[in-house]
Each structure stands twice: as C-alpha cells, then as structure tokens.
Amino acid sequence: MRQAIISELFDDATALLARTVDLKREGYDEGDMFVLVKRKETGEAVKRQSNLYVLVADDPQAIASLVTSSERPVERWLGSMRLTPERQETFAQAIKQGKLFLYVDAEQGERLEAETATRRKQATDTEEQTLALHEERLDVKKRAVQTGELVVNKRVTETDQEIEIPIRREQLHVERKDGSLEEIEDYDFDRPGIRTIDEGDHLRIQVIEERAFIVKRPVVVEEIIVHKHVREDVETVTETLRKEEIEVREEGDARIDVDSSLTKQEDERI
C-alpha cells in the first residue's frame, strides 16, 4: 500500500535517484516528487539524470517563486509541506549540512503547481516584475575543542632514614668463691651424663638480648585534588558580509515615477 507522504534524506545524488526509481516501480508519479538540495552542482546532477522538480537552497531566486518571501526560503518551503514543525526543523538543518531531501506528496504537487500558475498569471495581468535583494548575515555557532590537558604522574623516590633503637641484652658475671668444705656422701666421679645443678658437673644458663628489625608499612601522607572550572571570555571575530543594494537610474526622456525612498538611499551612499 502506498504511503500518502514520503520524506527522506540522502547523502548523495546516486542514492536519491535509486530511491526514485523504486518509488516509480511502486506506482508513485515522478511529478509528485520534489528534491531540495543545498549546492547548485548537486541539483544540476539530479536534473541531468531525471525529470524531478529540484530546488537549490543556495539559489533563493528559484525557491522564491514558490513561497511568499525569499527570506529563510528553505524553512518557508518546508513549512508549506504536510510535516510537523519538529520534522521541518530536522530536515532544514540536514539540508544546510549538505543532505539531499526527497519529498513525495501528490496533493503537494497539485497545490504548488496551482500556486505557481496563479503567481505567473498575476504577474502577467499587472505587468509587474519583482527583483529580490539579498544580503549575507552572520550565523554564530560554537563547538568545543580540546586545547590542552593536565597530566598528573606519581613516582616513587627512595630515601635513607636512620633510627636509634635502645636494645637490652643480658650479660653473665661469673664469680668464684670458696666452698663450705662440707662432706658429701656417696658422690661418684665416674658417673656418666650431665647432672643437674643440684648434682653438680655442668651448669647451662641462656643469655638473652634484644634484636631490632624493621617493618615498613604504607600510609597516606598527602592528597592531590584537581578542580576544573569554566571561565567565559569574549572573543571578537570580524567577517565581511555582502549585501545587494538597488541603484535606480533614469535614462532618456521617459516619464518615470521613482519612489522617494529609493532616491534617498542613493543620496546617502553619495
């Protein structure tokens, strides 16, 4: 089943033309297809390979024949279509970025054709011709770019530290004194083995001292905190803008009524 309205974007003319071929196979009329592009060379490439109605955003004079005013012609032309405001804005931005816009609507084609015929008839009846004046205006946009970065590295250093530690150690002092000369009964000099201190022969005494050893443990001694804040500066950018102005000059003896505002503008430039 055919859709009442088709609105699509394409990256290049080849993809757009391939899509129109498929649409014609599905029963859509080429006369109901409208193409809006930004660059003139892109529009000419589409025209060379098809009979589609192509409008070029860089040529407002062509679009002005379909809309009331040539100011913001892309938005005004999209506004005449059966599209939501959100989709109109989306398509307008895409066209300005170089996308190709295809719009298919049989009712739109009939209405645009009728409006164009009416304007041409009115111009013929009143013998009026319109000359549109254009000027360039600045459209300021900003984009975020990286201008630098902060790199914080952590490295390990080694230092020697001396610590004085008091150490206690045991020492033995051996004294010799005369015995009591008391008689010991049943004492055997040939008895083998080590006797206890009560039995004599050997005496073993442990000598103890303190030994120091180092235990290292990591501790947090400092923290580095990095804050980032946004600062606003004012940057002045100079750009040359072009503007079309009208120059009225009378030639010959014909009686011509010239609007005083046009003459005033000419005098101001002088």
Side-chain angles (χ1 to χ4, degrees):
M1 182 178 180
R2 296 195 306 169
Q3 302 180 31
I5 298 174
I6 296 176
S7 53
E8 299 176 355
L9 293 169
F10 299 89
D11 293 327
D12 50 58
T14 302
L16 184 144
L17 292 170
R19 176 58 173 155
T20 59
V21 172
D22 294 337
L23 291 173
K24 286 188 289 186
R25 291 173 180 171
E26 296 174 11
Y28 291 94
D29 187 6
E30 192 176 55
D32 298 332
M33 301 180 188
F34 302 87
V35 178
L36 181 57
V37 299
K38 175 177 174 57
R39 292 182 291 272
K40 184 177 180 180
E41 56 271 19
T42 305
E44 292 177 350
V46 176
K47 291 180 180 179
R48 285 195 300 267
Q49 304 180 58
S50 68
N51 295 321
L52 298 174
Y53 198 98
V54 181
L55 298 121
V56 180
D58 286 345
D59 184 14
Q61 196 74 18
I63 303 180
S65 63
L66 297 178
V67 296
T68 306
S69 171
S70 61
E71 183 179 1
R72 295 172 61 86
V74 175
E75 287 78 359
R76 294 185 63 85
W77 190 75
L78 291 172
S80 65
M81 298 179 177
R82 293 191 292 171
L83 299 171
T84 63
E86 292 78 10
R87 291 180 65 80
Q88 293 177 22
E89 178 65 22
T90 300
F91 290 138
Q93 294 299 324
I95 293 170
K96 292 178 180 179
Q97 295 173 2
K99 297 287 187 178
L100 287 72
F101 176 64
L102 173 64
Y103 181 77
V104 183
D105 185 351
E107 295 182 8
Q108 178 81 353
E110 296 173 357
R111 184 172 64 81
L112 289 177
E113 184 177 352
E115 290 181 358
T116 303
T118 301
R119 290 192 182 92
R120 290 174 180 171
K121 185 176 184 302
Q122 290 175 350
T124 303
D125 294 342
T126 58
E127 295 185 356
E128 292 182 355
Q129 293 184 357
T130 302
L131 176 63
L133 300 179
H134 309 90
E135 69 177 15
E136 294 177 330
R137 295 188 178 181
L138 292 178
D139 185 10
V140 180
K141 296 183 179 180
K142 298 185 293 183
R143 68 178 187 274
V145 298
Q146 179 178 338
T147 57
E149 62 182 5
L150 174 67
V151 179
V152 180
N153 292 324
K154 185 170 66 174
R155 56 189 178 87
V156 178
T157 61
E158 295 183 354
T159 57
D160 295 332
Q161 182 177 357
E162 294 183 355
I163 303 176
E164 293 185 355
I165 303 175
I167 295 177
R168 295 179 301 172
R169 58 170 56 92
E170 296 177 344
Q171 293 183 344
L172 297 180
H173 179 69
V174 181
E175 294 182 359
R176 186 172 185 176
K177 65 180 181 179
D178 296 335
S180 61
L181 298 178
E182 295 180 359
E183 183 179 351
I184 301 174
E185 296 180 358
D186 300 329
Y187 183 82
D188 186 1
F189 282 93
D190 296 327
R191 184 178 179 180
I194 298 176
R195 298 178 178 83
T196 64
I197 189 172
D198 295 335
E199 296 175 346
D201 286 351
H202 295 285
L203 179 62
R204 293 187 178 184
I205 300 175
Q206 292 181 336
V207 180
I208 307 298
E209 71 175 25
E210 293 179 329
R211 294 288 176 89
F213 62 94
I214 301 298
V215 177
K216 296 188 292 184
R217 54 187 176 86
V219 297
V220 178
V221 296
E222 188 178 2
E223 290 184 350
I224 303 299
I225 302 175
V226 180
H227 297 281
K228 182 170 71 174
H229 66 278
V230 177
R231 183 184 67 184
E232 291 189 358
D233 294 328
V234 178
E235 181 178 351
T236 301
V237 179
T238 302
E239 183 63 45
T240 302
L241 301 179
R242 295 176 296 176
K243 178 180 180 180
E244 296 177 347
E245 295 183 349
I246 189 171
E247 178 182 354
V248 179
R249 183 175 65 253
E250 297 182 22
E251 297 181 355
D253 298 330
R255 299 181 60 183
I256 302 174
D257 294 331
V258 181
D259 193 334
S260 60
S261 62
L262 299 177
T263 306
K264 183 178 179 181
Q265 294 177 1
E266 190 69 23
D267 295 339
E268 290 176 352
R269 289 196 295 273
I270 297 176

